[in-house]
Amino acid sequence: MKKNIVIAFAMAAGCVALLLAQQADINIKVVSGEKPAIAVTDFRGSGDAQRYMDTFNQTLWDELSGAGILKMIAKSVYPLTVPQRPQDFHPPTQIAPARRGEAPRVQSNGPWLTDWSNPPVNANYLAFGYTGVQEGRLVLSGYLYNLGQADLNSAQVIGKLYFGSLDAEGAKKVAREFAADILQQFGAKSLAGSKIYFVSDRTGNKEIWSMDYDGSNQSQITRYKSISTMPAVSPDGKMVAFTTYAQGNPKIMIYSTESLRRVPFYNPVSSVVETPEFTPDGRRMLFSATIDGWTQICEANVDGSDMRRISHVRSVEVSSKVNPKNPSQVVYISGKSGHQQLWKMNIDGGDQEMITSGEGDVANPSWSPNGQFLAFAWTRGYEIGGFNIFVMDVAKRVPVQLTHVNGRNENPWWAPDGVHLVFTTKRGSATQVYTMLADGTHVQQLTTQGNNIQPVWSKAIN
Amino acid sequence: MKTQHRTLSAAVFAGMLLITAAGCKKKAPAPPPPPPPAARQPETTPPPAAPLTVRINSFTAEPRSIERGQSATLRWSVANATDISLDQNIGAVQANGNRQVFPSNTVTYTLTARGASGTDTRSVTVEVSAPPPPPPAPPPAASVSGSDLLTREAQDAYFDYDKSDIRSDAQQALARDADLLKRIFAADRSFTVVIEGHCDERGSAEYNLGLGDRRATAAKEYLVQLGVPADRLTTISYGKDRPVCTDANEACYQRNRRAHLAPGK
């Protein structure tokens, strides 16, 4: 009995260690650029299906490269003969060496795995296939091969049929589903169903809005015709808190993301209550409120009761964020060194330490889901107000600059997959919401109307 | 130890019982019968030879003259009467009483008291006058509202980047503002002022909301030091949400880093 318990415990501990290792692995790969290399052929379609293959190929490529976990090998180095079906592969024939000591020579009989795994392609994986029309529907035969295997049977990782309507939408759908299956093989977490909450002034007033992870379904949540800003979302995605002038001085309000109704929150008596943030267990909130003339960090229940002041300095302190994997660790922005810098402390206010170098201004810290990285906006190396996005491994304290534009790059926020970031950039006259990979590549614009700022990314509601 | 404690408890309990018992004992004896009430006295005294005279001791109106819409109170006191009434549709009343009346014109109230020995009447007149016309509106020239005065003459206090210290130029501006506020508050006792704190666009929105709040508070503290009543001043921070200009140069940034006085709501 006792032995069984010990074994069970050891197994559980092992699983946890494995999971943690995996998570860390994915992020390290993102930052250092060591990823599995994949070649993705241009798929062709028979009959009417061919009309939608440009859309299909573009979507498949974008989905795979946008996930950020694969090294995409440029199509320009691919072999001229491209397989479409498994039966297009023909193993080469070994020819005995003419002289002793020479390497055995091979005679090619058609496309083979090594055409893709050898230079110049150097791929680890190959995605190929074709489409056709069956009973008025688009049918995709999609394959993923592991090129490190010796024969076709063991090389096949995916071989599957996908069905969609015979139009551009159908082509996008089957491409996305095939890409999702491929990405799943490499441990990618799906962002489907995740939501981005942000502030938009497109109605003439700053209101809280939400949209899907790809920018679709943009919809308005608040209608106060006032100033409503700084959204924060609960860990379960069911509540969005924000700061609003709807009732006079800026105060925190909370909405249910499902009913879109107000949930009670009792603000302290203060001229400013701002930058709400839920704790990782979703039971407490951190926010900043003006006490004794200075905006200070406070903690309370999610309804505002049982409030406690954490910081006690004559300085503005805002944007407190709790480490999702270590709920006693808090980072925040403080001006106590003279300028706005990134600081770290225990949730009881002890062990305060400046994380950034003291140069420039720092703003908008955001924890990666695994609690290992911080993303933030920093003006280091630029003039005042010239923010760029940085990512820092908290243990190593080495900041990596992701954006290098002279527009304002602000409000980075980690996606639930730990691989993407959402952020804002002012390019031209308006500020818009963009996503990118956590290595700074694959930048995509999500919003276009009015100014759109302060995005936060919520996981899908279960 | 335990036994001792128990003994002590028992003793205390017994003592409490005794006290309670003693308390009960004290209440136990029945009170002596009260003396016969005075009201019964007439039965024992011989009946009077003749009924007493009906007499109105008093009948007054307070005040005697009112403005239309106001009220007067009638008070009366009558002795030895069986039937007492007031005219002007009021009717029967008690021997001693009062009533509030709202006459719209001058009117005379008559109190009539009847009894076995006769009748007594007395009258009182309440004079009603028309209310005075409303006071004439003050001449418009004399009333520049506090709001207008503030908007026209108040000066913004300017700040350095990421600072809430009151600079010397801001001290001069706030000193003039303090004099202005004292004048406005003296003329209008209900007037309040909200001090807005603003920032330039370069810092983060989150930090600027706190910084603007700090600037508004610093300006308020300075005004209060100069004798402006604190309870007439409130503060609000707009961070960088309400800039006066949007150019990307230091002249514009400086105009936005300010504490601004606006009429309260």
Side-chain angles (χ1 to χ4, degrees):
Chain A
M1 184 65 191
K2 206 172 180 182
K3 202 173 165 188
N4 282 348
I5 290 173
V6 169
I7 289 170
F9 179 75
M11 280 171 67
C15 284
V16 169
L18 201 69
L19 280 172
L20 288 176
Q22 248 176 6
Q23 263 186 345
D25 196 37
I26 288 167
N27 272 299
I28 284 166
K29 273 179 179 160
V30 165
V31 174
S32 67
E34 288 172 27
K35 309 166 192 174
I38 188 170
V40 183
T41 65
D42 271 336
F43 289 42
R44 287 187 294 158
S46 60
D48 283 348
Q50 181 58 34
R51 288 159 57 194
Y52 308 108
M53 292 320 285
D54 284 349
T55 305
F56 172 90
N57 286 319
Q58 190 63 49
T59 307
L60 180 61
W61 184 269
D62 288 347
E63 290 283 316
L64 292 175
S65 83
I69 57 171
L70 296 171
K71 182 184 176 191
M72 306 295 288
I73 303 210
K75 293 183 181 181
S76 55
V77 297
Y78 293 178
L80 290 177
T81 31
V82 169
Q84 296 188 66
R85 303 169 300 167
Q87 48 272 47
D88 292 343
F89 285 101
H90 299 286
T93 316
Q94 296 257 357
I95 302 169
R99 292 180 198 146
R100 285 174 66 92
E102 278 189 358
R105 287 183 296 153
V106 293
Q107 185 194 321
S108 172
N109 298 316
W112 187 240
L113 303 176
T114 47
D115 300 350
W116 300 84
S117 61
N118 288 339
V121 188
N122 287 326
N124 307 115
Y125 292 88
L126 174 68
F128 66 98
Y130 62 98
T131 64
V133 181
Q134 196 177 69
E135 291 169 358
R137 287 190 302 170
L138 184 70
V139 184
L140 160 70
S141 302
Y143 301 92
L144 179 71
Y145 274 22
N146 179 348
L147 301 170
Q149 299 295 320
D151 63 274
L152 293 180
N153 280 339
S154 47
Q156 181 167 320
V157 181
I158 295 172
K160 194 173 164 185
L161 296 180
Y162 301 84
F163 300 92
S165 52
L166 188 57
D167 53 19
E169 277 312 303
K172 282 185 191 169
K173 173 181 173 281
V174 294
R176 283 187 181 134
E177 288 176 0
F178 182 39
D181 281 349
I182 294 172
L183 291 170
Q184 200 184 16
Q185 300 295 326
F186 299 100
K189 297 186 190 76
S190 172
L191 289 172
S194 68
K195 288 272 181 192
I196 295 170
Y197 296 91
F198 61 105
V199 174
S200 181
D201 69 357
R202 69 187 71 174
T203 60
N205 295 101
K206 284 186 175 171
E207 304 277 12
I208 308 296
W209 287 65
S210 72
M211 62 183 165
D212 291 350
Y213 72 103
D214 58 357
S216 56
N217 292 323
Q218 302 194 9
S219 63
Q220 190 176 350
I221 293 180
T222 62
R223 290 166 201 281
Y224 286 115
K225 297 189 170 72
S226 172
I227 305 171
S228 298
T229 59
M230 300 176 201
V233 66
S234 63
D236 61 7
K238 291 183 179 176
M239 286 193 284
V240 59
F242 52 94
T243 300
T244 180
Y245 288 72
Q247 295 171 335
N249 278 53
K251 301 279 180 192
I252 289 176
M253 241 184 227
I254 303 181
Y255 266 49
S256 157
T257 58
E258 293 170 309
S259 69
L260 298 186
R261 299 228 170 125
R262 258 183 88 180
V263 177
F265 181 84
Y266 303 103
N267 282 277
V269 176
S270 169
S271 50
V272 168
V273 189
E274 61 153 325
T275 58
E277 169 73 0
F278 293 87
T279 56
D281 63 6
R283 296 164 74 174
R284 303 273 289 174
M285 283 192 87
L286 267 68
F287 53 85
S288 289
T290 293
I291 300 171
D292 297 342
W294 294 90
T295 307
Q296 298 282 287
I297 296 165
C298 303
E299 189 210 9
N301 287 332
V302 277
D303 65 358
S305 63
D306 188 24
M307 194 198 89
R308 189 170 70 83
R309 177 178 174 181
I310 298 179
S311 58
H312 291 83
V313 289
R314 294 176 62 77
S315 162
V316 173
E317 302 203 320
V318 295
S319 302
S320 45
K321 302 283 163 61
V322 184
N323 184 333
K325 296 297 177 196
N326 178 5
S328 66
Q329 192 179 48
V330 180
V331 294
Y332 59 104
I333 298 297
S334 173
K336 62 190 161 195
S337 71
H339 287 296
Q340 319 157 38
Q341 292 290 311
L342 182 59
W343 288 69
K344 174 171 88 68
M345 67 176 171
N346 290 337
I347 198 156
D348 62 4
D351 281 346
Q352 299 181 10
E353 183 190 356
M354 190 161 75
I355 295 180
T356 42
S357 63
E359 303 160 88
D361 290 336
V362 188
N364 325 128
S366 167
W367 285 102
S368 64
N370 67 1
Q372 191 184 348
F373 296 95
L374 280 167
F376 50 89
W378 198 0
T379 64
R380 190 185 74 170
Y382 292 78
E383 59 191 21
I384 297 173
F387 283 103
N388 274 296
I389 308 295
F390 286 73
V391 167
M392 179 193 276
D393 183 327
V394 180
K396 294 177 187 154
R397 301 283 169 87
V398 180
V400 177
Q401 186 174 344
L402 301 189
T403 63
H404 299 81
V405 248
N406 236 335
R408 296 180 67 107
N409 301 280
E410 291 180 275
N411 290 102
W413 195 273
W414 290 88
D417 66 1
V419 175
H420 289 82
L421 290 168
V422 65
F423 68 107
T424 59
T425 289
K426 187 175 185 180
R427 294 180 185 173
S429 60
T431 304
Q432 300 297 348
V433 176
Y434 292 75
T435 55
M436 65 179 168
L437 291 172
D439 62 2
T441 61
H442 220 266
V443 176
Q444 290 191 310
Q445 185 171 353
L446 300 191
T447 58
T448 52
Q449 291 179 272
N451 289 286
N452 299 281
I453 58 168
Q454 297 171 343
V456 293
W457 207 324
S458 154
K459 72 171 195 178
I461 295 179
N462 293 324
Chain B
M1 186 67 189
K2 219 173 199 176
T3 333
Q4 251 181 14
H5 182 80
R6 209 175 279 161
T7 321
L8 191 68
S9 303
V12 168
F13 183 65
M16 280 168 70
L17 271 178
L18 269 175
I19 290 164
T20 319
C24 284
K25 237 176 211 166
K26 261 180 198 163
K27 276 180 196 161
R40 290 201 189 148
Q41 291 282 340
E43 276 183 7
T44 57
T45 51
L52 295 172
T53 316
V54 172
R55 193 176 69 241
I56 295 175
N57 294 326
S58 66
F59 182 43
T60 60
E62 183 63 37
R64 297 291 294 270
S65 61
I66 58 171
E67 283 173 11
R68 185 175 298 147
Q70 293 177 329
S71 68
T73 304
L74 305 176
R75 290 176 200 283
W76 59 91
S77 171
V78 178
N80 307 320
T82 53
D83 178 17
I84 308 159
S85 66
L86 267 166
D87 66 351
Q88 305 296 344
N89 297 324
I90 294 173
V93 295
Q94 297 291 311
N96 294 290
N98 64 71
R99 179 173 288 245
Q100 207 171 24
V101 291
F102 298 86
S104 54
N105 293 300
T106 299
V107 67
T108 300
Y109 294 92
T110 303
L111 182 70
T112 306
R114 292 188 186 82
S117 67
T119 301
D120 191 6
T121 63
R122 204 182 287 189
S123 295
V124 68
T125 300
V126 176
E127 287 175 10
V128 177
S129 59
S143 76
V144 174
S145 73
S147 207
D148 292 344
L149 206 56
L150 190 72
T151 310
R152 209 169 57 203
E153 293 188 20
Q155 297 184 10
D156 288 353
Y158 294 110
F159 296 85
D160 286 338
Y161 179 73
D162 197 2
K163 290 279 185 288
S164 56
D165 308 304
I166 305 292
R167 306 191 309 214
S168 59
D169 60 326
Q171 288 179 8
Q172 289 170 19
L174 289 172
R176 280 191 287 271
D177 288 338
D179 291 340
L180 174 68
L181 291 181
K182 285 177 199 166
R183 270 190 286 141
I184 293 173
F185 290 158
D188 183 345
R189 301 205 164 270
S190 65
F191 196 79
T192 59
V193 166
V194 55
I195 304 173
E196 304 172 354
H198 299 271
C199 305
D200 73 37
E201 64 173 28
R202 294 176 297 170
S204 76
E206 298 81 3
Y207 187 89
N208 276 350
L209 197 49
L211 181 62
D213 183 71
R214 182 61 217 158
R215 286 175 177 163
T217 304
K220 177 181 171 178
E221 285 167 351
Y222 197 83
L223 289 171
V224 171
Q225 267 182 18
L226 296 176
V228 178
D231 59 355
R232 309 287 282 275
L233 304 173
T234 57
T235 59
I236 190 168
S237 172
Y238 285 108
K240 56 177 175 177
D241 268 312
R242 297 269 168 89
V244 287
C245 66
T246 54
D247 303 332
N249 58 52
E250 174 50 30
C252 173
Y253 297 149
Q254 177 60 90
R255 287 179 61 203
N256 285 329
R257 294 192 303 267
R258 72 200 200 279
H260 175 75
L261 307 187
K265 280 160 196 155

